Amino acid sequence: MKLLFTSRINFDLIGFHAKRLKAFMTVFTILLLTTFPLPIFINWLNSSATSTLNPFPQFLVSLLATVTVFISAISPFLFFNYLFSSKSVNIYHSLPVRRRDLYITYLFASLMMVVIPFTITYGLGYILSYILNIIPMSVEHLFIYARLVII
């Protein structure tokens, strides 16, 4: 247990992989944007054409959570794909980083690769909903966000 707390996250390695995998993070963000803020905007456009305001579609938050869980299952494979090439394994394991620290760093990086686009999407979705007067802003939405991040 003592060794668990002495492990360090290598932020230089996270920065290197953030630059290398920024295209995937952009794709994840666009995918999540199509599940939450975009349908709200389309719903608002349709309701403004018919002059009746549609209620907030609650299933969009569930759809956002489902897509996020799917992306969470995929993202570690992007960081641990070096294990399938002996040349890459030799390079990464020759770095002056312990394997435990390397594992914790990649685990943290894959978590951040999902949490950052999710936070952007969730924030934009609720801000857009508030601006369009679909839902009132309340603390309950922060609790929903916290529950979804914990998932």
Side-chain angles (χ1 to χ4, degrees):
M1 190 69 173
K2 178 183 173 185
L3 294 177
L4 179 65
F5 296 114
T6 61
S7 297
R8 295 178 308 265
I9 296 174
N10 190 336
F11 290 103
D12 294 331
L13 194 57
I14 289 176
F16 168 74
H17 283 295
K19 289 177 189 172
R20 187 176 71 88
L21 297 173
K22 67 181 170 187
F24 284 110
M25 191 178 268
T26 305
V27 168
F28 289 165
T29 305
I30 291 171
L31 180 66
L32 290 174
L33 284 173
T34 60
T35 60
F36 189 45
L38 188 63
I40 288 176
F41 186 68
I42 291 171
N43 186 16
W44 178 74
L45 288 177
N46 288 337
S47 67
S48 65
T50 61
S51 72
T52 59
L53 188 60
N54 296 331
F56 180 73
Q58 292 293 333
F59 74 92
L60 290 178
V61 177
S62 301
L63 179 65
L64 178 67
T66 305
V67 171
T68 303
V69 168
F70 177 71
I71 290 173
S72 298
I74 290 175
S75 67
F77 292 108
L78 297 174
F79 289 96
F80 291 106
N81 69 347
Y82 74 92
L83 293 171
F84 297 110
S85 169
S86 62
K87 183 179 176 185
S88 296
V89 168
N90 292 336
I91 289 172
Y92 278 102
H93 288 177
S94 68
L95 293 173
V97 178
R98 291 184 297 203
R99 289 184 186 183
R100 181 179 58 244
D101 295 343
L102 191 65
Y103 174 75
I104 291 173
T105 299
Y106 284 160
L107 197 61
F108 181 74
S110 66
L111 179 69
M112 287 298 107
M113 190 172 184
V114 175
V115 169
I116 291 171
F118 177 75
T119 303
I120 292 169
T121 302
Y122 193 83
L124 284 177
Y126 272 107
I127 289 171
L128 184 66
S129 298
Y130 178 70
I131 290 172
L132 299 177
N133 291 325
I134 297 174
I135 59 169
M137 193 61 72
S138 68
V139 178
E140 176 186 352
H141 302 297
L142 291 176
F143 292 132
I144 292 171
Y145 170 76
R147 281 191 315 202
L148 291 175
V149 166
I150 290 172
I151 289 176

